[in-house]
Amino acid sequence: MTPRNGPRRARVAFSDSAAGQLEDITTEAEIHALDRALVVISVDPGIGEPIPGGATGPQLRQYTDEVESVRVLYSVTALRTVVVVAYIEV
């Protein structure tokens, strides 16, 4: 019997400013809410809405989880293997 694997996830990395924002998240509920949003994004990096902007940098996307009150701004690498989180709002 062949082992069944789930969908391949993108690796999540944080910009310096997003890493700084992580330090401000202190409650278990906020950590759980952010973790849930990051899992959703890593499984389907295209789930967020594109943010209009210039064509000089990576295309920023915005994912908002209304249930958990989380907003994440991120970009995705060309091969969709890495999601770089730019901004976190919990």
Side-chain angles (χ1 to χ4, degrees):
M1 192 162 157
T2 306
R4 197 176 151 131
N5 295 328
R8 184 174 176 190
R9 289 184 179 180
R11 187 171 60 91
V12 176
F14 297 93
S15 68
D16 290 341
S17 61
Q21 290 172 314
L22 283 174
E23 294 173 6
D24 295 335
I25 297 174
T26 56
T27 70
E28 183 98 14
E30 289 175 329
I31 293 168
H32 174 73
L34 177 60
D35 186 50
R36 183 178 134 121
L38 293 175
V39 167
V40 169
I41 293 168
S42 72
V43 170
D44 182 9
I47 195 167
E49 300 175 11
I51 296 175
T56 58
Q59 172 70 53
L60 281 177
R61 301 185 73 80
Q62 170 180 272
Y63 173 74
T64 304
D65 184 332
E66 300 294 336
V67 174
E68 298 284 354
S69 299
V70 175
R71 180 174 166 235
V72 178
L73 301 182
Y74 65 98
S75 63
V76 182
T77 60
L79 297 177
R80 298 173 55 95
T81 57
V82 178
V83 172
V84 179
V85 175
Y87 175 79
I88 301 166
E89 189 175 283
V90 180

